Amino acid sequence: MNEVGTVTYNVDTFKPGEQFPPANAIERIAKYRRMKKLYDGKQAEIYERATSLLRDTPHAPQLEKLYIAVNIADPIITKVPDLLVGEPPIFDSGLADDSPQQTAINSYVEENDLVKLIHESALANGYRGDSWFKVRYDYRQDYSVLTEMGLELPIDAEMEPIIEHVAADCVFPQTSAGNVKSFKSVVIASVEWVVTAKEDIPFLNVERHLPGYIINERYKLQSYEGGIDTSYGYPVQLFKIVEKVGETTTTETGVPHLLVHHIPYKSTDDQWEGKGTLEALESILIAINDRLVQLDYILWKHSDPTAYGPELGTTGSARLTGAYIPLTAEDKTPGYMTWDGQLNSAFKELETLIGMAFQIAETPQWLFGTVLGDQNAGGTGTSHTDGAAIKARFMPILTKVARIRTHYDRALRDALYNCQLLDIAHGEANFEAVYPTIQWQDGLPHSEKEQAEIMAIRTGNKPTIDVATAIKRLDSLDDLQAAQIIERIKADTEREVGTVDASIFNDPDTETDEGTDA
């Protein structure tokens, strides 16, 4: 990264004669892929510090066989999306439940499986540091094969607003002048390999997003000798852009905004790139694996120590699996050669490293149900049952989730707003687009009794919330489902109370006890 100025990605980088990926994106791409290996538990493919230190010794073969890659990164990264959307958020237009805007937003959320999309994005964002959403108006099903074969599309095929992931290592934004947090264009460029009978040919598909327009281009690429950059801990293949293939297509989106939305995991004000959790944990996770390798090697090495004693001879009855050193009569008493490896200290260091990993990740160890070793001074998190007390115990992870939520909140609201604009511009929607709100849940288990008492007060004694919202929040329902429940409650109430026509008391032919002869 440039330490004295703002780094921008020039759109002219994607033209014949230039390198792909651009030189100023290689470090970022290498980081994404290195962190992905770390998250997948494949540290052995990129980190073998313990093996490297002893590579020229007789111990190297054993270390390679005993290498352990403990995947602590997985549960640490997974916990944030679990708390973020473990309880589905409520997407609200701010209008009536039966308004066309709210109906449309409910449809976008349901059709795009938005809650699952958020979970997947937040999971990958935890190790990459950057995630991207793209909104487009298209067929949800890929009909390209039908088009290639000259077949017609199904009769009921309809285009609709689609929200989808974009691979972060394929995105190259161009920042606005004077504002590194604002983008004036975003390029999505991906390498496509076309396999033929003789060779595999790489092509570069370039999708340039501008406010109101999308420009698509295609270039032929060429790999070359030495075209591998290993400067940043992971090999990144380089290509040379040779020539343009086909025609440039320009599409008007009908939306005056970019349809690509950036979601950083953790951000600062001097760069657009985000920072993931694993970046801060990388060296600690490597040290944890090295310590495990060392401990495992020591235990294996000294599980059958070398013995020494008098000469056994060929008919000796002793059976030893390890090495044996014969001694003369003048030598000491027979025994075993043992090594004081200070294993207690090694295990103590391992516990400390794991504790530091969880602390830097802002995630209490007891959150996973168990605590390693003696590092349970903070308790187990199960000694409180009151909602406020539980939140206080979960404060480190909750503040982290709240920080990440702010980035997702803005990007998702923008995406849902653009969905409405696309529906109006290209579909049959006939309403005025509204900027939605999102009611997020904290992801913690709630006491049903406590929640019921709170809602009873708010809907009865102090009507500060409507019944529909209370039902939606308590049972995680959408507007239509809540409306159906309210209608059933109303019907049950009418049947229980019962009503009669008051005019029956005015009928002169109605007999009473007083008007009847004995």
Side-chain angles (χ1 to χ4, degrees), residues 15 33 101 110-112 146-147 155 176 201 230-231 243 255 313 321 324 333 343 351-352 366-367 483:
K15 65 180 182 181
R33 297 175 182 175
Q101 291 92 335
E110 181 69 23
E111 294 298 327
N112 290 287
L146 298 182
T147 304
I155 299 176
S176 302
I201 306 174
T230 58
S231 304
E243 60 182 352
V255 178
T321 57
Y324 184 81
T333 305
L343 289 183
E351 294 174 11
T352 301
W366 48 258
L367 194 62

Side-chain angles (χ1 to χ4, degrees), residues 206-255:
V206 177
E207 183 179 298
R208 183 174 288 112
H209 284 256
L210 303 170
Y213 297 90
I214 298 177
I215 301 174
N216 291 91
E217 297 172 324
R218 184 176 172 86
Y219 296 91
K220 184 177 180 180
L221 296 176
Q222 180 183 17
S223 57
Y224 55 91
E225 185 177 355
I228 301 292
D229 193 318
T230 58
S231 304
Y232 301 103
Y234 194 90
V236 177
Q237 184 172 5
L238 306 179
F239 299 91
K240 181 180 179 181
I241 302 178
V242 180
E243 60 182 352
K244 185 178 177 182
V245 179
E247 299 294 329
T248 299
T249 60
T250 302
T251 305
E252 291 190 44
T253 63
V255 178

Side-chain angles (χ1 to χ4, degrees), residues 50 63 289-299 339 343 346 349:
L63 285 174
N289 285 318
D290 289 341
R291 178 57 64 201
L292 285 171
V293 171
Q294 184 184 35
L295 287 171
D296 195 34
Y297 177 66
I298 291 172
L299 294 175
W339 176 72
L343 289 183
E349 181 188 2

Side-chain angles (χ1 to χ4, degrees), residues 119-139:
H119 191 281
E120 293 174 345
S121 172
L123 188 62
N125 211 346
Y127 59 81
R128 274 199 315 254
D130 296 296
S131 284
W132 297 82
F133 284 158
K134 182 177 74 172
V135 182
R136 60 186 174 93
Y137 194 83
D138 204 345
Y139 295 107

Side-chain angles (χ1 to χ4, degrees), residues 91 93 96-112 160-161 163 416 419-421 423-424 429-434 436 479:
F91 302 87
S93 65
D97 294 345
D98 58 351
S99 64
Q101 291 92 335
Q102 184 63 55
T103 302
I105 290 175
N106 290 343
S107 175
Y108 305 148
V109 172
E110 181 69 23
E111 294 298 327
N112 290 287
E160 58 182 312
I163 305 175
L416 291 173
C419 282
Q420 297 173 69
L421 296 179
D423 225 352
I424 295 171
N430 184 20
F431 53 77
E432 182 179 354
V434 297
D479 298 296

Side-chain angles (χ1 to χ4, degrees), residues 140-418:
R140 187 168 299 278
Q141 177 65 46
D142 186 354
Y143 294 118
S144 58
V145 176
L146 298 182
T147 304
E148 293 172 0
M149 298 178 64
L151 300 176
E152 294 186 0
L153 303 184
I155 299 176
D156 55 351
E158 295 182 358
M159 302 178 75
E160 58 182 312
I162 297 174
I163 305 175
E164 61 187 5
H165 298 295
V166 181
D169 57 355
C170 296
V171 182
F172 306 89
Q174 184 182 18
T175 57
S176 302
N179 186 358
V180 73
K181 308 291 286 188
S182 175
F183 304 141
K184 58 184 178 182
S185 73
V186 176
V187 174
I188 301 175
S190 58
V191 177
E192 175 188 354
W193 289 87
V194 176
V195 180
T196 65
K198 297 182 179 180
E199 59 179 342
D200 299 342
I201 306 174
F203 290 89
L204 181 66
N205 297 320
V206 177
E207 183 179 298
R208 183 174 288 112
H209 284 256
L210 303 170
Y213 297 90
I214 298 177
I215 301 174
N216 291 91
E217 297 172 324
R218 184 176 172 86
Y219 296 91
K220 184 177 180 180
L221 296 176
Q222 180 183 17
S223 57
Y224 55 91
E225 185 177 355
I228 301 292
D229 193 318
T230 58
S231 304
Y232 301 103
Y234 194 90
V236 177
Q237 184 172 5
L238 306 179
F239 299 91
K240 181 180 179 181
I241 302 178
V242 180
E243 60 182 352
K244 185 178 177 182
V245 179
E247 299 294 329
T248 299
T249 60
T250 302
T251 305
E252 291 190 44
T253 63
V255 178
H257 315 119
L258 292 172
L259 295 180
V260 183
H261 307 282
H262 178 226
I263 308 172
Y265 198 75
K266 186 178 183 180
S267 63
T268 59
D269 62 354
D270 57 354
Q271 63 182 28
W272 68 263
E273 295 97 331
K275 183 177 181 180
T277 295
L278 291 194
E279 288 184 62
L281 299 179
E282 185 174 11
S283 60
I284 293 179
L285 296 180
I286 297 171
I288 290 173
N289 285 318
D290 289 341
R291 178 57 64 201
L292 285 171
V293 171
Q294 184 184 35
L295 287 171
D296 195 34
Y297 177 66
I298 291 172
L299 294 175
W300 272 101
K301 183 69 175 177
H302 297 280
S303 62
D304 190 8
T306 299
Y308 57 88
E311 185 70 39
L312 295 177
T314 57
T315 60
S317 59
R319 297 177 58 87
L320 300 174
T321 57
Y324 184 81
I325 301 177
L327 301 177
T328 63
E330 293 80 15
D331 292 324
K332 295 182 179 180
T333 305
Y336 281 98
M337 297 180 64
T338 60
W339 176 72
D340 185 6
Q342 299 294 329
L343 289 183
N344 289 335
S345 299
F347 278 110
K348 184 65 176 179
E349 181 188 2
L350 177 62
E351 294 174 11
T352 301
L353 289 172
I354 294 177
M356 290 175 61
F358 281 98
Q359 186 175 30
I360 294 175
E362 304 173 76
T363 307
Q365 253 195 87
W366 48 258
L367 194 62
F368 301 92
T370 58
V371 178
L372 182 65
D374 297 328
Q375 298 189 26
N376 59 353
T380 61
T382 59
S383 58
H384 303 286
T385 56
D386 178 70
I390 292 176
K391 286 187 177 182
R393 296 286 294 134
F394 276 73
M395 187 59 66
I397 188 68
L398 289 182
T399 54
K400 179 180 180 178
V401 172
R403 181 177 64 241
I404 297 167
R405 183 187 300 145
T406 58
H407 300 296
Y408 275 92
D409 186 81
R410 177 61 183 271
L412 290 167
R413 293 165 69 193
D414 287 345
L416 291 173
Y417 182 68
N418 286 337

